[in-house]
């Protein structure tokens, strides 16, 4: 007897959850939510260390309505590079060879604008530029093999 009552209670709970999820208020919230642009870095990976010189920044932007513009900047500082996206593209790649002004720790941010003029949230990456040039590795000399001597036949 108790098992039947417990099964009925669970059935009512499940039915109420289904009806609540299908209510007009829940459906309207989903319809009114705007898709947001998604942005992320591919390079450099957080924690990377580079010798002085150029650092390649690579990031992506995705938006259901389309991406129109992308920009790299320093937090609270200047824009260090911007690019227009390919017209009508929902997924775009931005690449920039940036020369940090001096050795140190850097944080770079990236954002994108949709074709509707809405800016995304920022994506961030952090890296260090060392104070010393990294010498190119030296390889041992390669010995030339002796030419094969023909064998008499």
């Amino acid at each position: 007897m108790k098992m039947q009552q417990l099964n009925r209670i669970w059935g009512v709970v499940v039915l109420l959850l289904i009806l609540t999820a299908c209510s007009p208020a829940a459906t309207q919230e989903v319809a009114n939510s705007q898709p947001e642009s998604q942005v992320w870095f591919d390079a450099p990976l957080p924690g990377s260390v580079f010798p002085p010189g150029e650092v390649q920044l690579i990031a992506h932007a995705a938006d259901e309505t389309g991406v129109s513009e992308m920009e790299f900047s320093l937090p609270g500082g200047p824009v260090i590079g911007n690019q227009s996206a390919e017209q009508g593209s929902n997924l775009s790649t931005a690449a920039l060879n940036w020369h940090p002004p001096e050795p140190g720790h850097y944080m770079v941010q990236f954002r994108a604008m949709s074709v509707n003029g809405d800016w995304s949230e920022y994506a961030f990456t952090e890296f260090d530029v060392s104070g010393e040039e990294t010498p190119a590795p030296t390889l041992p000399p390669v010995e030339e093999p002796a030419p094969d001597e023909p064998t008499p036949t």
Side-chain angles (χ1 to χ4, degrees):
M1 184 70 160
K2 287 185 179 184
M3 191 61 129
Q4 284 181 333
Q5 287 177 334
L6 187 60
N7 284 340
R8 285 184 188 161
I9 291 173
W10 277 112
V12 170
V13 168
V14 169
L15 182 61
L16 288 174
L17 288 173
I18 292 171
L19 291 174
T20 303
C22 296
S23 72
T27 307
Q28 188 173 5
E29 272 182 37
V30 171
N32 289 339
S33 67
Q34 299 240 339
E36 290 185 18
S37 298
Q38 300 293 315
V39 292
W40 64 96
F41 274 94
D42 271 355
L45 295 175
S48 298
V49 178
F50 297 95
E54 285 188 344
V55 174
Q56 186 176 37
L57 307 174
I58 300 174
H60 301 282
D63 189 285
E64 288 181 14
T65 62
V67 177
S68 66
E69 187 178 336
M70 301 167 288
E71 75 175 24
F72 293 99
S73 61
L74 301 177
V79 172
I80 57 175
N82 60 355
Q83 298 177 7
S84 295
E86 187 176 318
Q87 189 171 1
S89 177
N90 293 2
L91 175 63
S92 295
T93 300
L96 174 68
N97 289 327
W98 180 57
H99 195 295
E102 59 188 34
H105 182 77
Y106 289 92
M107 178 184 284
V108 176
Q109 58 191 21
F110 175 76
R111 69 178 181 164
M113 181 189 289
S114 72
V115 294
N116 296 333
D118 299 320
W119 283 103
S120 70
E121 296 291 324
Y122 284 104
F124 296 90
T125 191
E126 295 182 62
F127 57 91
D128 291 300
V129 175
S130 68
E132 300 175 7
E133 292 281 342
T134 304
T138 55
L139 300 174
V142 177
E143 294 183 23
E144 295 282 330
D148 289 340
E149 295 186 20
T151 56
T153 55

